[in-house]
Amino acid sequence: DQQVKQNSPSLSVQEGRISILNCDYTNSMFDYFLWYKKYPAEGPTFLISISSIKDKNEDGRFTVFLNKSAKHLSLHIVPSQPGDSAVYFCAASDTTTSGTYKYIFGTGTRLKVLA
Amino acid sequence: KAGVTQTPRYLIKTRGQQVTLSCSPISGHRSVSWYQQTPGQGLQFLFEYFSETQRNKGNFPGRFSGRQFSNSRSEMNVSTLELGDSALYLCASSFDSANTGELFFGEGSRLTVL
């Protein structure tokens, strides 16, 4: 059962426009969310995160929005650049029975920014 | 400082064989997690080690195992390989396992099972 879902496997956007990547989750106990970007033949790299006590976090061209009631988060990239073309994974922090944490990742969305 | 190093980068095995993958975390990082990436499944959590102890485990069969050494280096082993084990295996390290701890990933070991 996929607890973190990225329903759009791919997205194409024109350079300079906004890219919106979406992520839905099922567990209301998730309290921290992260976005990772992955280029081919490289490992994922951390992009931006948000705590469940916030509804928005911004870092340069990247903004993450969290809607807890809808169990939905989104990543906005403005303006989109060709170098942003990559696979984006959202992840949620899951507290285990031992009190530690593990990250549950979505299936990823492949973003292609067209020049 | 050096990033997370995974070896080997690519390997080909046949069904029934076993494989060992290695991960050297960033210096000072004590938590090492392993993930399996397959098309359509995203990154599936395998297990996490912290100070040589397995702290968390995902929903994988017992054929998948791991360990961590005193220098924080980690290995994962897959026995009796199946075709479905073909995947990119990613290792990630962090300073601790707090939920706000950013994960630093290696480039992965791509396993092909024939």
Side-chain angles (χ1 to χ4, degrees):
Chain A
D1 182 32
Q2 196 75 25
Q3 296 187 69
V4 178
K5 302 177 185 179
Q6 294 177 258
N7 292 318
S8 298
S10 64
L11 174 69
S12 292
V13 172
Q14 286 293 134
E15 181 180 6
R17 305 295 292 267
I18 183 172
S19 294
I20 300 176
L21 295 93
N22 295 303
C23 180
D24 296 295
Y25 60 96
T26 58
N27 189 339
S28 59
M29 298 302 292
F30 289 158
D31 59 359
Y32 201 76
F33 303 89
L34 307 92
W35 284 94
Y36 281 80
K37 178 170 70 173
K38 185 180 186 298
Y39 293 117
E42 295 183 11
T45 55
F46 171 77
L47 191 58
I48 192 169
S49 62
I50 188 168
S51 166
S52 60
I53 62 173
K54 296 185 176 181
D55 55 18
K56 177 183 175 181
N57 188 28
E58 192 172 355
D59 183 3
R61 297 185 297 114
F62 302 91
T63 303
V64 57
F65 295 91
L66 176 62
N67 183 332
K68 285 188 66 178
S69 60
K71 298 191 186 71
H72 177 84
L73 65 155
S74 60
L75 174 67
H76 293 210
I77 306 173
V78 184
S80 301
Q81 299 174 354
D84 296 329
S85 297
V87 177
Y88 290 78
F89 292 96
C90 69
S93 174
D94 184 22
T95 304
T96 68
T97 54
S98 62
T100 59
Y101 306 95
K102 63 181 181 181
Y103 292 102
I104 309 296
F105 282 81
T107 52
T109 296
R110 182 177 303 276
L111 172 66
K112 187 172 183 179
V113 180
L114 307 170
Chain B
K1 55 184 176 182
V4 177
T5 304
Q6 291 188 246
T7 57
R9 290 291 311 280
Y10 303 91
L11 66 166
I12 299 174
K13 294 285 187 178
T14 57
R15 281 180 299 175
Q17 287 187 310
Q18 67 101 25
V19 65
T20 299
L21 309 177
S22 179
C23 172
S24 293
I26 291 173
S27 178
H29 285 190
R30 295 188 297 167
S31 173
V32 174
S33 302
W34 288 89
Y35 291 83
Q36 180 195 65
Q37 184 189 3
T38 54
Q41 291 296 315
L43 277 67
Q44 302 280 308
F45 174 77
L46 282 155
F47 27 65
E48 183 225 355
Y49 287 87
F50 185 83
S51 294
E52 302 180 66
T53 301
Q54 185 181 88
R55 297 243 290 209
N56 292 299
K57 192 177 188 306
N59 298 322
F60 278 81
R63 300 185 297 107
F64 292 81
S65 63
R67 60 177 175 169
Q68 187 180 32
F69 302 95
S70 58
N71 62 357
S72 293
R73 190 178 71 85
S74 177
E75 289 181 347
M76 68 161 282
N77 183 278
V78 188
S79 62
T80 319
L81 284 166
E82 301 176 359
L83 295 178
D85 296 333
S86 295
L88 179 68
Y89 290 88
L90 290 161
C91 166
S93 75
S94 64
F95 181 71
D96 59 29
S97 63
N99 69 337
T100 58
E102 176 188 338
L103 297 177
F104 294 84
F105 283 88
E107 295 178 322
S109 293
R110 183 165 294 282
L111 169 65
T112 301
V113 181
L114 301 176

